[in-house]
Amino acid sequence: MDTYSRRRFIKTTGGALASAMTAGLGLNRQSPGSPAERLSVGLIGCRNMGFGLLQHALKVPGVVCRGLCDVDRNVLEGRRRDVEKQTGETPPLYSDYRKLLEDQELDAVFIGTPDHWHCLQTIHALQAGKHVYVEKPLARTITEGELIREAARTYGKVVQVGQHQRSGAHWQKVVGMIRDGHLGSLRTVRLWANFDYGKGPERLPDEPVPEGVDYDMWLGPAPKRPFNQNRFHGVWRFDWDYGGGLITDWGAHLLDIPLWALEIDGPPQSVSSVGGIFSGEDRAIDMADTQSVVYQFEDVNMVWEHNGGLQTGPYERNYGLAFVGNRGTLVVNREGWQVIPERDGNQPLVREIPFRESGEGGHGAHVANFIDSIRTGAELNCPVEAGRLSAFYGHIGNIAHRTDERLRWNEAGALIGRDRYEHLITPQYRSPWQLPRL
């Protein structure tokens, strides 16, 4: 039986599930220990998102920065000054994350590096006995995500994936409404992400490695290539060696919501994709800037769309989700949500709910949940399996597009004809780096 058919059970138990989910956050509980219990954390990848996570962590009583690691000395020095300003303390600096992990006093690390580094750094941190908060998507490939899942089970440490929407109150509310069957039987879940940056960066010539950058370490397990600014800070995700484009960037967040709400825990029956580079601009991009992906389940479709270079979209939102049911449609993004009823003549089939702004939650709450889980055993809002699954759905959309084939899974959840796609499922690491073995 397809995993999605479990929705019939969910409809009758959704209220209890939603209540349990909210109660499990652990953010407002009283810790049985001191709220100022010392927790030493480090950061690997300091430029943008990673440093924002560290700033949130340092606002939690008892959390101290034990070290900063980055391959760009210019970034590293700037972040050292930022930490000094926030805490009054000077953290040790590292250019090689493995040296940071040797610190026996280090309890946990935040990983904010490009996707091609997530697998090695997460697993090495777990092997060193550290708890891990790793940014999304969990991994650059399907096999790497599976390896991280196994490592989390093997080493028994807390691993939070940075899909921070799960710590947002209005996302929890929406998930509860879907599980309660508020919209009736679902027909389609639409997801879209229209962002200007999705058309890719400008084309630039290769150039010498900037002073202070350990470029070989930045590449790590990825293939050896000349340095290029449009494959470096902030724009690497449109190159297949490092990322997967909009569907693994924003898709890790948006695809996660229906998987969470419908309790989907396996692959779809099939997935197909169409698209291409349709922006009309000559940009540095390896993947489709315009893409549609259809995920087919037993009794519902899930449709992903992105249009890089555009900033408008359905329901006057440039990104979001629409749960389309027989009784109405629920539209949601980070700004808020609403319910649009279907009608029988003039009679609405469900109560209309005008747009409601989002409530509390986000990166700060997600980091707090991670720290609370380390200290008290509180339930994680986004454990490894949730991160692995949303990344998996992004990856299979890309694989379907790159191969121009409709991928199908058998009743046991195995990809039919997997051998044909293995080169896209399992990466080949550049020596001396090796794919972890557990």
Side-chain angles (χ1 to χ4, degrees):
M1 179 180 294
D2 188 271
T3 55
Y4 183 76
S5 63
R6 295 166 59 195
R7 178 162 63 93
R8 298 187 183 92
F9 169 76
I10 291 168
K11 285 181 182 179
T12 64
T13 61
L17 286 168
S19 297
M21 175 176 57
T22 302
L25 291 177
L27 297 177
N28 297 318
R29 303 187 328 177
Q30 292 295 319
S31 170
S34 167
E37 177 187 353
R38 184 179 176 90
L39 185 73
S40 297
V41 303
L43 173 61
I44 305 171
C46 299
R47 184 170 176 266
N48 281 333
M49 184 61 69
F51 189 70
L53 297 173
L54 178 64
Q55 287 181 304
H56 286 300
L58 294 177
K59 294 176 183 177
V60 178
V63 175
V64 296
C65 181
R66 186 76 184 179
L68 301 174
C69 178
D70 202 282
V71 299
D72 189 334
R73 193 72 186 183
N74 307 295
V75 171
L76 202 54
E77 290 290 347
R79 294 313 188 197
R80 173 186 59 79
R81 292 190 293 270
D82 291 335
V83 171
E84 288 176 345
K85 183 177 180 181
Q86 183 175 353
T87 68
E89 299 181 357
T90 303
L93 304 182
Y94 300 87
S95 60
D96 187 329
Y97 72 94
R98 293 169 295 185
K99 296 295 183 182
L100 170 65
L101 295 179
E102 290 175 0
D103 184 352
Q104 297 300 309
E105 300 300 317
L106 182 69
D107 298 307
V109 293
F110 292 88
I111 297 175
T113 51
D115 301 353
H116 69 286
W117 265 116
H118 287 184
C119 179
L120 277 176
Q121 290 171 342
T122 299
I123 292 177
H124 287 166
L126 292 172
Q127 290 172 335
K130 318 304 182 187
H131 304 288
V132 178
Y133 183 119
V134 57
E135 256 307 310
K136 59 80 206 166
L138 177 64
R140 191 186 69 85
T141 64
I142 291 172
T143 294
E144 289 172 306
E146 293 170 344
L147 286 170
I148 294 174
R149 175 181 60 186
E150 294 308 308
R153 292 172 177 171
T154 298
Y155 298 105
K157 293 296 181 178
V158 173
V159 182
Q160 176 95 298
V161 184
Q163 289 156 214
H164 66 276
Q165 291 177 170
R166 286 188 171 231
S167 292
H170 83 289
W171 293 105
Q172 296 158 13
K173 171 70 173 179
V174 164
V175 167
M177 291 178 69
I178 299 302
R179 292 185 178 188
D180 281 339
H182 187 78
L183 303 177
S185 296
L186 288 184
R187 301 280 193 89
T188 300
V189 182
R190 297 183 64 193
L191 310 96
W192 65 96
N194 296 345
F195 293 96
D196 185 64
Y197 82 97
K199 64 189 177 185
E202 295 181 2
R203 291 191 180 276
L204 297 171
D206 296 338
E207 60 182 273
V209 177
E211 185 176 353
V213 173
D214 185 346
Y215 180 56
D216 189 70
M217 191 65 175
W218 187 92
L219 287 171
K224 183 72 173 180
R225 301 175 68 182
F227 180 84
N228 194 295
Q229 286 287 355
N230 66 20
R231 294 194 298 266
F232 193 46
H233 285 325
V235 288
W236 47 264
R237 69 177 69 258
F238 295 103
D239 191 294
W240 286 118
D241 289 336
Y242 321 122
L246 275 174
I247 196 171
T248 59
D249 184 19
W250 269 89
H253 289 302
L254 299 181
L255 289 165
D256 179 44
I257 302 305
L259 300 176
W260 178 24
L262 303 176
E263 288 200 325
I264 296 170
D265 60 4
Q269 291 179 332
S270 70
V271 59
S272 57
S273 177
V274 295
I277 300 176
F278 299 157
S279 70
E281 299 187 39
D282 184 21
R283 312 288 287 194
I285 186 169
D286 273 354
M287 58 278 296
D289 62 20
T290 307
Q291 186 175 0
S292 299
V293 183
V294 177
Y295 303 90
Q296 182 182 1
F297 297 90
E298 183 179 18
D299 53 0
V300 72
N301 290 328
M302 191 166 74
V303 182
W304 165 273
E305 294 183 341
H306 71 247
N307 295 276
L310 302 184
Q311 292 279 63
T312 59
Y315 305 97
E316 299 184 352
R317 294 167 172 85
N318 68 307
Y319 75 96
L321 302 92
F323 291 91
V324 182
N326 282 334
R327 297 170 58 190
T329 296
L330 190 154
V331 183
V332 60
N333 67 9
R334 291 180 182 175
E335 282 69 57
W337 60 282
Q338 69 185 101
V339 173
I340 304 168
E342 288 294 326
R343 296 181 179 275
D344 183 1
N346 292 325
Q347 183 66 33
L349 299 180
V350 67
R351 181 171 67 89
E352 180 176 0
I353 301 177
F355 178 78
R356 295 184 178 179
E357 292 186 1
S358 59
E360 296 297 322
H363 288 106
H366 209 53
V367 169
N369 172 245
F370 171 59
I371 294 170
D372 196 19
S373 183
I374 294 171
R375 286 176 165 169
T376 74
E379 182 179 351
L380 281 172
N381 289 350
C382 191
V384 163
E385 181 55 19
R388 186 205 68 83
L389 194 64
S390 70
F392 170 83
Y393 269 74
H395 295 322
I396 61 177
N398 275 336
I399 292 172
H401 182 260
R402 294 191 72 183
T403 60
D404 195 25
E405 294 186 22
R406 185 176 186 181
L407 310 185
R408 298 176 183 273
W409 284 261
N410 62 26
E411 291 185 359
L415 176 61
I416 298 172
R418 174 169 171 150
D419 289 348
R420 298 202 306 274
Y421 316 111
E422 194 62 41
H423 64 293
L424 299 173
I425 292 173
T426 302
Q428 297 295 315
Y429 278 9
R430 180 174 67 107
S431 180
W433 303 100
Q434 295 182 351
L435 196 66
R437 294 183 179 180
L438 302 177

